Amino acid sequence: MADNPGWDMISSSGIGESSEERRLLQQGKPSYDDDDDDSESHTGYGITTASIFVVAAVAGTGVLVLPNALAKTGWSGLIVLVTVCVIQIYTGVLLGRCWSILQERFEIYRRQTRNPYPAIGYEAFGAIGRILVTLTIDVSVIGICVVFLLIISENATILFGLDDFPYCYKLAITAALLCPFTWFGTPKDFWFIGLAGALSTGFACILLLIKMFRDLPTVIDDNVNYTGQDYVSYFSGVGIMIVAFNGHMSFPTIQHDMAEPSKFPSSLILAGIIVAFYFLPMAIVGFYVYGDVLYQEENIFDVVGGGFEPTVALVLITLHVITAFVILGNPVFQDVEDILGIEMTFTWKRIVVRSSFVILMWFLAATIPSFAHILSFLGGTSFLALAFIYPVCCYCKLTLTGCPTKSWISESFSVSEVIIFATILILGIFIAASTTYADFSLVGSELYLNFSRPCYLPMITGH
């Protein structure tokens, strides 16, 4: 077996609470001293709370965009939707096993760790693994948070009748209101935000389904069409589906803050079932009631119209998107703070770093004020890598790699496991190629040429 990239750091004397240990921990590198039993006792939340965080990280955007994704794929997209859901739960479990392996092998990972997913990449493939995972997470987080800003601003416009209010100012106010919530440390510091997000989406789905069923007699009389679209639109929809179910960038962070991190797979399965109950009825009923009308609309609220149920649902979904913005942005904030050597306690430096990221997200949202194409592109690139490719590759590498000192031994896989891993990797590569092709094909189409002039240009040029 290939050597683990960190074995040259094994020390016979062990590691204490020193600056060297802190540097190793921040870089995702272990101490490799399993004889030190004086580690801090790990306190944290349980299975149910972890499930709430997963639901809060995953469920918000999918409620808004999955009906549109199904309109792009037609009814055959249901098979894809269920398959994507099952695969992402499975690879999430693999990712949880990866982190459990690290905690079992290396004492330092049982302490507070800012960047668990990059640490998994490091232990599997060395420095290149850590860098690749980190960059992929950064791109994904910035991209999805830009989408969240656009959604929150758009929903606020609907709720408060702000159509005539300057677009840049709406985005700036939205970003300013969100900014203080990004200053919390790790998910265990804002459990109440996760709970609010998970509950709000559940109630919003119920209200939207009530409105859809009320619209059913009318749309039946209008002879709704369910034609689906061409190859390009189909895989654009698939990319959106992948983003909708994806929270892998936050899974190791959520798992690490559990009182018993080894039980994270149970939390993930429970959360996956809840999210499926949110998403599948919304996508199926939405497409059945409104049909191809959804193809031209990014947001389900642009179709369902007004009334009590849609208005309350809009408020609840907006609340959840706010919570997801906070939870999903946390890993990349912590990673940058690691690089800059900022303390893990609350300081003014944390405020400056995280506020700077929010400003960057505002700039990108103001530059590209449309989120469907962004979601599709992310789904076929960075999100797909985090959910399909990296978990399988890291789990295989960690499991098959033994230790020269016999602290642990390598394991093998059954034939069925090899088939499952190979299928996920091949399917992931195919979807990545097809979705990327679809996105670049759509860039030149009329659908994605309707971008408005960036709202900040008049402020810079004066006209």
Side-chain angles (χ1 to χ4, degrees), residues 218-226 287-293:
T218 302
V219 295
I220 289 178
D221 294 338
D222 293 338
N223 297 318
V224 176
N225 296 317
Y226 310 103
F287 185 47
Y288 179 74
V289 172
Y290 303 112
D292 289 347
V293 174

Side-chain angles (χ1 to χ4, degrees), residues 5-6 9 23-30 32 109 113 115-138 335 338-339 386 390 394:
M9 299 163 54
R23 184 183 67 81
L24 297 176
L25 179 59
Q26 288 181 335
Q27 294 180 358
K29 301 177 184 178
Y32 295 87
Y109 288 130
T113 305
N115 47 3
Y117 204 158
I120 291 172
Y122 175 82
E123 293 305 331
F125 297 102
I128 187 64
R130 182 179 68 248
I131 293 171
L132 191 59
V133 172
T134 299
L135 290 177
T136 308
I137 290 176
D138 292 349
D335 181 62
D338 284 343
I339 295 174
L386 291 170
Y390 295 171
C394 289

Side-chain angles (χ1 to χ4, degrees), residues 12 15 54 78 84 101 109 156 238 243 253 293 358 360-361 373 380 388 415 440 459:
S12 59
I15 278 185
V54 173
L78 275 178
V84 166
I101 289 174
Y109 288 130
V238 172
V243 174
T253 301
V293 174
V358 174
L360 171 63
M361 293 168 188
H373 187 50
F388 280 60
V415 174
F440 279 106
M459 304 177 189

